[in-house]
Amino acid sequence: MESVIIGIGGMKCAACASNIERIVNKLDGVKTGVVNLSTEKLKVEFDEHIVSIVTITAAIKSTGFSVYLPEESGTNEVEAMTKRKEDEQKALWFAFKWSLIITIPLFTFSMVPMTFLSLGWNVLPENLDPLNYPSWNGLIQLIAVLPVMWLNRGIFIRGFRALFTGAANMDSLIAKGTMVAFLFSLYITIENFFLIGTSLAATMEEMVFMERNQFYFETVAVILTLIVLGKYLEAKTKGSTSEAIKTLIGLSPKTATIIKNGTELVVPIEDVMVGDIVLVKPGEKLPVDGIVVQGTTSVDESMLTGESMPVDKKEGDNVVGASINKNGSIKYEATKIGKDTVLARIVKLVEDAQNSKAPIARIADTISGYFAYAVLAIAIIAGLAWFFAGYNMAFVMVVVVSVLLIACPCALGLATPTAVMVGTGKGAENGILIKGGESLEIAHKINIVVLDKTGTVTIGKPYVTDIITKGRYDKSEILLLAASAERHSEHPLGEAIVAYGMEELGKLSEPDSFESVTGQGIIAVIESKNILIGNKMLMDNNKIDLTAYDTDLGNLENEGKTPMYLAIDGNLEAMIAVADIIKPSSKAAIERLKEMGIEVVMITGDNSRTAEAVAKQVGIESVLAEVLPQDKADKIKELQNQGKMDFGLRKCPKILAMVGDGINDAPALVQADIGIALGGGTDVAIESAEIVLMRDDLHGVAGAIYLSKRTMRNIKQNLFWAFAYNIAGIPIAAGVLYLFGGPLLNPMIAALAMAFSSISVLLNVLRIKRLHL
């Protein structure tokens, strides 16, 4: 199966998207075709041995839509899409500007005399009153409205083409409604000229006088002007919803400075190769990912993680492209370029998410597919009902046009995809990458979060936490001797002591001799002192008395720390504790999850004593300890199947999120309803998860769930008001209020209401951008 994302031009409403999906999914060899109205893209999976991309695009073009293939714009796809949107906005603004310039005098010429007449005012001289010359009145208005219709001809072309191909959309309703008003007015105009010189024209009875001036050319012009204004505002607002991708793309610099044979060369970023040495000066952006080989600096990685504090970098540290070098100059070796960089992967994740469709969108899609024809049927039925009730054609025409114009599937179609687009974009800005609309929707239902301990709750590396001394040496002397003795150790605990010693002291001594005792510790000689560092077995084998530290041993073990004894020249002088320390943010993040009503469970392969100690420090009550890596997925499944009682009457499933960072977490991440991987973790974990947190702490878990809750609330608000608007608006347009003594809806007001409904949905969606995660 091959998967391709195709840009679609000309979509104006949810019915357009549904029709394209229907046409594409009918093709043999197509597995799935999903259209996102907000991004104006089709994601299609197909068997290239059965159907070609040429056949798929031809089917789309046959319905009147334009197609933009990714390869047509290459690496500049986003820029090309942005330019298309800008061109569309310019075209809409041009059409609106000139439509308005023509419509204002037309509306004034048409409505002012009618208004004066209805109020009983005779302010216009008889020879200047257009109502006294109905033939020329109609002709002048006809000449004026034709340019407005030409400026907005796309509505008629798309609308009638869709109508006649069985794929009616919003443009079909607008085109049909305005064309009915135009043809009715044209008929009156022709009839007036036909009647010139006849006896009927000479009588000028009041009824005939009014009927002969019953034109709706100005209504057509006003409606089209309002519609194109609505489309322009909608295009501008939709452009605001897709800022995330453009912002991410714009982060990457266009050039890079590389070192070749000792010479600095400035090359396009596309020419940087893996293994090149890249030079970055203070204030410059890093062009690609790599490993520092020379220099120290601090780097602003907020564009990836959302964390504003710069991160110190030294030789051997990883750096990511598009981050900003704040202080010193560094040289680093390029390790990932092009689509393999962290930034490129983020862009791909966000694009995939924005092109996906949330399950809740299917409701609106199903309705939109039948909406246009249902509205046509309602308009015809309402018109016939008023006609047979004895009302004239002018009244019937107003009802039909109003019904066709006020109905709006656009709001239904925009409600979900725009919210998904803004929600995933907002997440990306804060280092929360949500891989799809379905993941975004499920996340708001999460009621239990399972946290892996090592690397998730804790940092994932052993650190020295305590140095307890009761002998002749102070802590600095103990640290110097211990770290110097461990310099040649390859054990993680020994490496932790060496790292702490270098950090605190700056330099260490070289041991005169070194011996590693497997499973016990080390024996070394430092400055003529015999050093033993290790566990109880090492001390017992060397007949070292440990009783003085029994109390300290118990306290350290209760805190989940690993104690090591240090003896000098046969005397126990200190105890050094090493532990995988808890991340500074873990406790607050877990507390936030609990405040949201979410149950938190910790899972680990560590022994129960250590696991309970860590859990107690961060406020976790439920612990699954001594779980082998291969058993983690089974434990997740057990938790999912347990469920919980709802008012003691029925069992509700647990919607579970698993948070991890290691290879051994991947099966559990897949088993969970939502897998959440920390960005500092392995590629396997990241690929297995539905949500990736670029910031290496747990605040993003609560942030992702909160974002999902607010986005889903926004979607439901949009769908409710879109449904409510159509349920209330269509009967009013059909004349229900008039039936009970109320006003008859003017088609111009109906057009304005239709445009506002879509814009209101988009404005509501933009509130997501103001969330604080």
Side-chain angles (χ1 to χ4, degrees):
M1 283 288 175
E2 187 174 343
S3 179
V4 174
I5 294 178
I6 302 171
I8 308 290
M11 290 192 297
K12 301 301 177 184
C13 70
C16 298
S18 296
N19 291 330
I20 293 173
E21 285 183 353
R22 179 175 55 82
I23 291 165
V24 171
N25 284 313
K26 281 170 56 178
L27 297 173
D28 291 336
V30 172
K31 182 182 178 183
T32 57
V34 178
V35 173
N36 187 304
L37 179 61
S38 297
T39 60
E40 298 181 357
K41 289 183 179 180
L42 163 70
K43 183 176 183 180
V44 58
E45 291 185 45
F46 61 97
D47 187 338
E48 63 273 26
H49 300 297
I50 300 175
V51 63
S52 68
I53 192 69
V54 174
T55 303
I56 295 171
T57 55
I60 298 169
K61 290 177 180 178
S62 69
T63 61
F65 298 99
S66 52
V67 173
Y68 309 98
L69 291 175
E71 54 263 32
E72 289 178 4
S73 47
T75 57
N76 297 317
E77 181 183 355
V78 174
E79 288 86 345
M81 182 182 70
T82 302
K83 186 178 185 306
R84 288 197 298 270
K85 288 183 176 294
E86 289 175 351
D87 291 343
E88 179 189 10
Q89 290 176 23
K90 289 178 182 177
L92 289 170
W93 177 252
F94 179 85
F96 167 69
K97 179 179 68 176
W98 286 104
S99 295
L100 184 65
I101 290 172
I102 298 169
T103 297
I104 288 175
L106 171 59
F107 184 82
T108 304
F109 178 80
S110 170
M111 295 304 296
V112 168
M114 279 287 191
T115 303
F116 287 167
L117 180 65
S118 63
L119 295 174
W121 299 349
N122 295 315
V123 295
L124 292 176
E126 184 175 342
N127 60 337
L128 295 179
D129 189 345
L131 296 179
N132 292 323
Y133 306 94
S135 303
W136 297 106
N137 183 15
L139 182 60
I140 292 170
Q141 292 189 45
L142 171 63
I143 294 171
V145 79
L146 287 175
V148 178
M149 296 179 73
W150 173 255
L151 287 166
N152 296 279
R153 61 192 178 279
I155 293 174
F156 297 97
I157 294 170
R158 290 188 301 269
F160 285 116
R161 178 184 288 164
L163 186 66
F164 296 144
T165 56
N169 55 26
M170 194 64 237
D171 283 341
S172 302
L173 300 179
I174 298 167
K176 188 173 177 63
T178 51
M179 188 57 71
V180 166
F182 174 79
L183 292 177
F184 177 85
S185 303
L186 180 63
Y187 168 77
I188 297 296
T189 302
I190 294 171
E191 185 183 54
N192 284 338
F193 272 99
F194 178 76
L195 292 174
I196 289 177
T198 67
S199 58
L200 180 60
T203 61
M204 293 297 287
E205 295 179 0
E206 183 67 20
M207 184 181 70
V208 175
F209 174 83
M210 291 299 297
E211 285 183 355
R212 290 179 65 194
N213 285 283
Q214 200 83 354
F215 305 114
Y216 287 91
F217 291 124
E218 87 291 341
T219 301
V220 172
V222 171
I223 287 170
L224 291 175
T225 302
L226 291 173
I227 293 297
V228 75
L229 173 62
K231 287 180 180 292
Y232 171 74
L233 294 176
E234 185 177 314
K236 288 282 286 184
T237 312
K238 281 170 68 177
S240 299
T241 66
S242 58
E243 287 296 323
I245 289 287
K246 288 185 283 186
T247 301
L248 288 170
I249 290 291
L251 292 173
S252 183
K254 304 299 182 186
T255 61
T257 302
I258 62 174
I259 309 296
K260 289 281 189 182
N261 301 320
T263 304
E264 296 181 14
L265 299 175
V266 178
V267 299
I269 192 171
E270 295 84 5
D271 293 346
V272 178
M273 306 295 290
V274 172
D276 282 347
I277 302 301
V278 182
L279 172 66
V280 183
K281 298 174 182 177
E284 293 181 344
K285 288 183 178 180
L286 281 68
V288 294
D289 299 358
I291 298 175
V292 178
V293 295
Q294 183 180 323
T296 59
T297 188
S298 60
V299 175
D300 179 359
E301 296 181 344
S302 59
M303 33 65 70
L304 295 176
T305 65
E307 177 57 61
S308 58
M309 292 296 293
V311 182
D312 291 334
K313 300 291 182 180
K314 59 184 184 304
E315 289 183 23
D317 287 345
N318 292 315
V319 290
V320 292
S323 55
I324 302 172
N325 184 26
K326 302 293 287 185
N327 296 324
S329 295
I330 58 170
K331 294 179 182 178
Y332 70 94
E333 180 183 348
T335 56
K336 292 181 180 178
I337 60 174
K339 62 181 177 59
D340 296 323
T341 64
V342 171
L343 178 63
R345 291 172 66 192
I346 291 174
V347 171
K348 182 68 167 60
L349 284 174
V350 176
E351 279 186 326
D352 288 347
Q354 295 189 344
N355 288 322
S356 66
K357 184 168 289 189
I360 196 172
R362 296 177 191 134
I363 301 172
D365 288 349
T366 301
I367 292 173
S368 298
Y370 301 99
F371 189 86
Y373 292 103
V375 171
L376 283 172
I378 293 171
I380 293 170
I381 292 169
L384 290 174
W386 287 110
F387 178 77
F388 288 116
Y391 288 82
N392 62 23
M393 282 302 299
F395 186 95
V396 171
M397 189 271 300
V398 169
V399 170
V400 170
V401 173
S402 295
V403 171
L404 293 174
L405 292 177
I406 202 168
C408 185
C410 302
L412 289 173
L414 291 169
T416 299
T418 50
V420 169
M421 176 185 288
V422 176
T424 52
K426 181 65 179 179
E429 290 173 11
N430 289 269
I432 301 170
L433 306 182
I434 301 171
K435 292 187 178 180
E438 185 171 358
S439 301
L440 184 65
E441 180 172 337
I442 294 173
H444 89 284
K445 302 176 184 177
I446 291 171
N447 49 36
I448 178 171
V449 171
V450 179
L451 305 173
D452 177 57
K453 181 184 81 71
T454 306
T456 302
V457 177
T458 64
I459 288 178
K461 291 168 58 179
Y463 282 83
V464 174
T465 59
D466 300 88
I467 298 177
I468 302 169
T469 177
K470 298 179 181 179
R472 297 166 295 170
Y473 300 89
D474 63 25
K475 290 184 179 181
S476 296
E477 292 173 307
I478 292 295
L479 179 58
L480 176 62
L481 291 171
S484 298
E486 293 278 11
R487 287 189 73 168
H488 300 297
S489 173
E490 296 181 354
H491 193 281
L493 300 183
E495 291 175 347
I497 293 173
V498 174
Y500 186 67
M502 287 295 296
E503 181 182 334
E504 293 293 315
L505 305 174
K507 65 177 182 177
L508 304 175
S509 301
E510 183 67 28
D512 298 321
S513 66
F514 174 86
E515 179 186 352
S516 176
V517 183
T518 305
Q520 298 182 34
I522 66 161
I523 300 172
V525 177
I526 302 287
E527 299 174 358
S528 301
K529 295 181 177 68
N530 295 311
I531 308 295
L532 299 175
I533 304 176
N535 57 22
K536 184 176 184 297
M537 186 182 299
L538 180 66
M539 299 297 134
D540 289 344
N541 291 340
N542 287 274
K543 297 181 172 47
I544 306 294
D545 182 16
L546 306 178
T547 54
Y549 286 85
D550 284 349
T551 302
D552 299 301
L553 175 65
N555 292 336
L556 293 173
E557 288 181 339
N558 287 334
E559 293 172 2
K561 299 173 181 176
T562 302
M564 289 182 289
Y565 298 100
L566 185 146
I568 302 174
D569 294 333
N571 296 311
L572 185 62
E573 299 290 350
M575 181 179 283
I576 301 174
V578 176
D580 179 7
I581 63 174
I582 295 167
K583 292 178 181 177
S585 59
S586 290
K587 185 174 182 180
I590 289 166
E591 187 61 34
R592 184 182 175 192
L593 286 170
K594 292 164 73 174
E595 288 173 356
M596 295 170 68
I598 296 170
E599 180 184 353
V600 181
V601 177
M602 189 176 77
I603 189 168
T604 179
D606 284 352
N607 63 72
S608 298
R609 194 171 188 177
T610 301
E612 292 287 352
V614 172
K616 184 177 180 181
Q617 292 180 63
V618 295
I620 296 177
E621 290 81 22
S622 302
V623 179
L624 301 174
E626 301 178 23
V627 180
L628 297 175
Q630 62 268 27
D631 295 334
K632 283 187 177 182
D634 292 335
K635 288 292 183 182
I636 296 298
K637 193 171 184 178
E638 286 178 20
L639 287 171
Q640 289 172 312
N641 292 334
Q642 283 176 9
K644 63 179 182 179
M645 299 308 293
D646 181 18
F647 303 109
L649 300 176
R650 60 188 176 89
K651 230 179 184 183
C652 297
K654 287 188 176 180
I655 307 301
L656 184 147
M658 169 69 192
V659 186
D661 74 326
I663 292 175
N664 61 348
D665 296 324
L669 292 170
V670 173
Q671 175 61 44
D673 297 288
I674 292 290
I676 302 177
L678 299 184
T682 65
D683 287 348
V684 175
I686 292 172
E687 291 300 321
S688 303
E690 285 81 24
I691 298 175
V692 179
L693 306 180
M694 298 308 298
R695 192 186 303 178
D696 199 19
D697 69 47
L698 293 177
H699 276 297
V701 178
I705 297 172
Y706 175 69
L707 176 63
S708 173
K709 288 179 181 292
R710 292 301 299 267
T711 303
M712 289 307 302
R713 182 194 301 177
N714 194 283
I715 289 172
K716 290 173 182 176
Q717 289 171 348
N718 289 341
L719 289 175
F720 171 80
W721 287 113
F723 280 121
Y725 165 84
N726 283 291
I727 291 170
I730 292 174
I732 292 173
V736 170
L737 292 182
Y738 187 84
L739 192 64
F740 295 96
L744 184 66
L745 187 67
N746 189 301
M748 290 182 281
I749 303 299
L752 185 63
M754 187 276 285
F756 179 74
S757 67
S758 296
I759 296 168
S760 64
V761 163
L762 291 167
L763 292 175
N764 187 44
V765 165
L766 290 177
R767 294 194 304 131
I768 298 173
K769 299 180 78 170
R770 300 202 300 266
L771 293 178
H772 296 287
L773 304 182

